[in-house]
Amino acid sequence: PSLSSPSQSSPSNSSTSSDSDATPSSPTSRNKDFKILQININGIRNKISELTHLIASIKPKIITVQETKLNPKIKTPDIPDYSTIRKDRLTDGGGGLITFIHHSIQFTEITTPNQGNIETIITKLDTNPPLHITNCYFPPIADTTIIDDTNTIAQFNQLFNHPNNIITGDFNAHHTTWHSPTTDHRGITINNLINDSNFTIINDNKPTRLPLPSHRQRQQPTSPDLTIIPTHLMNTTNWTTLQKLASDHLPILTTPFITQKHSKSHKRKTFINYKKALW
């Protein structure tokens, strides 16, 4: 008889099967080292040494900084092993944002228009799954509440359109939902937007801003700084505040456990099908 060689693997004379016992399925792994640090630093120039020390101790992958208070004439602060995206407020020397991205992560800046005087930096990370990180600062209300509502709603709708977007920043908004002692108009607006979305605020009962010593008799600890994440990440994300820096705002550390599902490896086995042999 004439048999075809197994190495030809022709459909007419051979079959292929998956040997499911050859290689066991790789377990699901969770990256517990993907840390996001956020801080309203209230002026970065005289706090960069303190910030660098904090970063070296906790090794976050992303740092979002609000109220840098830099202008184009000032050099971007350098933190070893991190790339930067920076946006300055050009009008009064306040505000300003910097996002630091660890060199181990590839990223793309997403250019989107800001609404009114709201400041944002949106970064797409080449992670698995891909993440967006938003760094934002909402200044205190300076316009009418109608204008502020319009800008706030438009900005959030824009942010909600980015998949897996972790939104960090100082929103200058208060609501008892995120453990501020009072509720204000912008807080109500943001709370309603979150309730109608697939996102959630993961702040716990810790305040994010402590009044300066000279103001402690007139001010209470509050939570104007928020971390907003997609609801499907809520049960696998840790959130906490850290020891106070020189700023009146506390550093916030968020750790989303990024799930990476490895595909099952199959070993292909080729065998001779004698029933299809040409005798």
Side-chain angles (χ1 to χ4, degrees):
S2 174
L3 297 179
S4 297
S5 169
S7 62
Q8 293 176 344
S9 299
S10 169
S12 63
N13 57 34
S14 66
S15 301
T16 310
S17 70
S18 295
D19 186 359
S20 59
D21 297 328
T23 304
S25 175
S26 300
T28 297
S29 65
R30 286 179 174 176
N31 185 351
K32 298 182 180 181
D33 296 322
F34 193 92
K35 300 173 183 176
I36 303 167
L37 177 68
Q38 70 181 86
I39 174 69
N40 179 322
I41 206 159
N42 196 16
I44 196 172
R45 294 182 70 184
N46 62 346
K47 303 182 183 80
I48 189 63
S49 177
E50 188 178 22
L51 178 62
T52 301
H53 180 75
L54 175 63
I55 290 169
S57 66
I58 63 175
K59 298 179 174 59
K61 296 297 185 184
I62 306 293
I63 307 106
T64 64
V65 183
Q66 302 87 45
E67 285 208 273
T68 56
K69 298 185 178 180
L70 299 177
N71 64 61
K73 295 181 181 180
I74 300 173
K75 184 180 178 181
T76 300
D78 179 62
I79 296 180
D81 299 323
Y82 289 85
S83 302
T84 60
I85 302 174
R86 167 182 166 181
K87 285 187 177 180
D88 300 338
R89 185 192 295 176
L90 303 178
T91 54
D92 58 10
L97 304 171
I98 292 181
T99 298
F100 295 93
I101 307 100
H102 193 267
H103 286 167
S104 62
I105 300 176
Q106 294 184 343
F107 65 92
T108 304
E109 181 182 2
I110 306 298
T111 303
T112 56
N114 289 338
Q115 306 298 323
N117 59 357
I118 298 171
E119 303 169 37
T120 60
I121 294 175
I122 305 175
T123 310
K124 182 179 181 181
L125 308 182
D126 187 16
T127 54
N128 186 8
L131 289 178
H132 289 82
I133 304 292
T134 294
N135 179 7
C136 60
Y137 178 66
F138 284 51
I141 297 177
D143 299 308
T144 66
T145 54
I146 295 176
I147 294 176
D148 190 74
D149 281 354
T150 299
N151 291 334
T152 298
I153 293 169
Q155 191 71 68
F156 267 94
N157 286 337
Q158 186 182 93
L159 298 178
F160 290 159
N161 284 331
H162 296 285
N164 287 331
N165 192 5
I166 297 177
I167 305 167
T168 67
D170 178 0
F171 293 83
N172 276 298
H174 302 279
H175 200 287
T176 54
T177 296
W178 52 85
H179 309 287
S180 271
T182 59
T183 294
D184 60 20
H185 182 83
R186 185 187 282 170
I188 293 172
T189 301
I190 291 176
N191 188 59
N192 290 339
L193 288 167
I194 297 297
N195 287 340
D196 292 336
S197 74
N198 294 321
F199 286 75
T200 189
I201 297 171
I202 59 170
N203 292 47
D204 62 16
N205 60 357
K206 302 181 185 72
T208 67
R209 180 183 179 274
L210 302 177
L212 296 172
S214 59
H215 297 161
R216 284 176 183 167
Q217 291 184 348
R218 296 181 288 110
Q219 297 180 0
Q220 301 180 68
T222 56
S223 297
D225 309 279
L226 303 177
T227 309
I228 303 168
I229 66 171
T231 302
H232 70 269
L233 295 178
M234 181 175 65
N235 293 330
T236 56
T237 300
N238 290 335
W239 185 96
T240 190
T241 56
L242 303 177
Q243 185 175 354
K244 190 176 184 298
L245 298 182
S247 173
D248 53 340
H249 293 253
L250 296 174
I252 297 170
L253 187 65
T254 303
T255 309
F257 289 2
I258 308 303
T259 302
Q260 296 176 305
K261 293 183 179 180
H262 303 284
S263 58
K264 191 175 183 180
S265 176
H266 298 291
K267 183 180 291 184
R268 297 175 69 85
K269 179 190 292 183
T270 303
F271 61 93
I272 300 173
N273 187 345
Y274 285 94
K275 293 182 179 179
K276 296 186 178 181
L278 301 176
W279 297 96

